[in-house]
Amino acid sequence: MAAYLDFEDKIKKIEEDIIIAKTKADEHAVEILEKKLEKEVEKTFKNLSDYQKLQLARHPDRPYAMDYINEILTDAYEIHGDRHYVDDSAIVCYLGFIGEQKVMVIGEQKGRGTKDKLHRNFGMPSPEGYRKALRAAKMAEKFQIPILMLVDTPGAYPGIGAEERNQSEAIATNLFEFADLTTPTVSVVIGEGGSGGALAISVADKLAMMRYSVYAVISPEGCSAILWNDPSKVETAANALRITAENLKDLKLIDDVVNEPLIGAHRQKEEAIRALKEYFLTSLEELKQLTPAQRYQKKYEKIMALGSFQE
């Protein structure tokens, strides 16, 4: 059963009326209701606040990394383990084909249902997850296979065990090594990009965000707790942090915004998956027009420009 957010109540009512009309085989009513639904979707989703976009990024029906991988990747072969500790299921690595293009896909997977969420640690990777991602990336670089990274995590796992196994070092190493990769790389924030947990697989030739994804140095909940010690300030924090795709594109912190369906990827998954696939293949063609040295230089210039400002 579909889950609806508070601001989707009117859409929910119209969709329920459409189901009833279809049950009665009332085609005229269905036609009228579908036009009404189209207008309501446009009215609702063209005026979303940053906090509402955060809710969409966390929507339980939103496609996760494995939903994209299962749909766009053929002849998929999973890469397991970091060869140091264990296989972290919060990060998945697959070698396969997108169309005719051989590709390595690295993604953060949150999991669905209680057992799967626990198995995936709610999409919060430990050091071994980031080391597995780096191992897969280095393997792809060796054979000059392009890399697609799918970012979707509330943040790196903050547990004692993760700290004992050098969580910060694993993230820092990934930042350094991914910046130095010579194979074409594209990273897309598909849901929630939280702090260093997202950064660890975000350094790429092209960094994009889905229309309703978010990307932030801290969660709005964490921000409101630190600044105001007041959980009711979450919406204020979400608006102040400028975490949406449009904001970050304006700040030149990302390269592109992937136009998922206006009603959201959680309602039209096939269209969202197709949009991401097309973006990756288009971006890859652009990157292939450049020599490795030119790609390297552009990535260097982009990284060095981060945080620049004018008074």
Side-chain angles (χ1 to χ4, degrees):
M1 189 175 183
Y4 289 86
L5 300 171
D6 292 341
F7 61 86
E8 294 179 301
D9 282 344
K10 290 183 180 179
I11 292 172
K12 178 183 178 182
K13 179 64 171 63
I14 297 170
E15 288 186 340
E16 287 174 347
D17 290 342
I18 290 173
I19 292 172
I20 293 170
K22 285 181 176 178
T23 303
K24 295 178 179 178
D26 189 342
E27 294 181 5
H28 181 63
V30 169
E31 185 179 346
I32 293 172
L33 288 167
E34 285 180 344
K35 288 181 180 178
K36 185 179 178 182
L37 176 63
E38 188 177 332
K39 290 181 180 178
E40 186 60 41
V41 166
E42 187 169 352
K43 176 185 173 183
T44 301
F45 283 84
K46 283 197 172 180
N47 296 285
L48 294 175
S49 68
D50 289 358
Y51 181 66
Q52 287 171 330
K53 289 178 182 178
L54 172 67
Q55 290 178 289
L56 286 172
R58 294 173 172 173
H59 198 287
D61 293 335
R62 192 170 179 82
Y64 291 158
M66 287 306 303
D67 295 312
Y68 288 100
I69 290 169
N70 288 335
E71 288 297 322
I72 68 175
L73 203 65
T74 57
D75 294 334
Y77 181 84
E78 186 170 7
I79 309 297
H80 289 282
D82 67 341
R83 293 184 176 172
H84 289 281
Y85 188 60
V86 295
D87 183 26
D88 184 1
S89 297
I91 283 190
V92 293
C93 304
Y94 281 84
L95 183 64
F97 289 86
I98 296 179
E100 299 296 319
Q101 176 64 56
K102 185 176 287 186
V103 62
M104 177 71 78
V105 182
I106 300 170
E108 291 167 320
Q109 175 69 14
K110 287 183 173 179
R112 299 193 188 279
T114 303
K115 287 185 179 179
D116 194 33
K117 285 179 179 179
L118 290 171
H119 176 61
R120 303 286 184 184
N121 201 30
F122 298 86
M124 295 185 290
S126 294
E128 47 274 15
Y130 296 118
R131 290 172 182 139
K132 174 169 73 170
L134 180 57
R135 182 170 83 85
K138 285 293 187 181
M139 184 189 302
E141 182 184 40
K142 182 177 181 179
F143 299 100
Q144 284 299 294
I145 298 171
I147 302 171
L148 170 63
M149 292 171 274
L150 304 175
V151 179
D152 190 15
T153 178
Y157 183 56
I160 293 174
E163 295 300 329
E164 288 174 342
R165 297 190 300 279
N166 296 317
Q167 181 74 287
S168 58
E169 181 274 337
I171 293 173
T173 298
N174 273 27
L175 297 179
F176 179 82
E177 295 289 353
F178 274 76
D180 202 44
L181 290 176
T182 59
T183 191
T185 53
V186 177
S187 184
V188 182
V189 183
I190 59 173
E192 189 176 8
S195 193
L199 278 175
I201 59 168
S202 291
V203 180
D205 294 306
K206 283 265 194 175
L207 174 59
M209 294 174 65
M210 300 295 283
R211 189 205 297 256
Y212 300 130
S213 62
V214 296
Y215 196 31
V217 69
I218 189 172
S219 70
E221 290 83 359
C223 179
S224 62
I226 292 171
L227 293 184
W228 298 290
N229 194 26
D230 183 356
S232 68
K233 297 283 189 179
V234 173
E235 189 167 353
T236 303
N239 293 329
L241 284 167
R242 303 191 72 182
I243 59 179
T244 65
E246 290 79 5
N247 284 333
L248 294 172
K249 180 72 166 64
D250 290 341
L251 291 169
K252 298 181 180 178
L253 295 175
I254 65 169
D255 299 301
D256 299 298
V257 178
V258 181
N259 283 321
E260 64 181 90
L262 181 63
I263 198 171
H266 63 297
R267 294 279 177 261
Q268 296 179 353
K269 292 183 180 181
E270 290 182 1
E271 287 82 353
I273 292 169
R274 184 162 53 249
L276 184 140
K277 177 182 177 180
E278 289 174 358
Y279 173 76
F280 171 71
L281 292 175
T282 300
S283 297
L284 192 56
E285 285 304 311
E286 291 177 12
L287 293 172
K288 284 181 176 179
Q289 301 303 313
L290 305 173
T291 66
Q294 288 173 326
R295 284 201 311 270
Y296 196 89
Q297 182 63 26
K298 284 177 70 72
K299 183 161 56 173
Y300 171 80
E301 291 172 356
K302 182 171 69 171
I303 292 170
M304 295 306 294
L306 296 175
S308 61
F309 66 94
Q310 291 181 337
E311 293 185 355

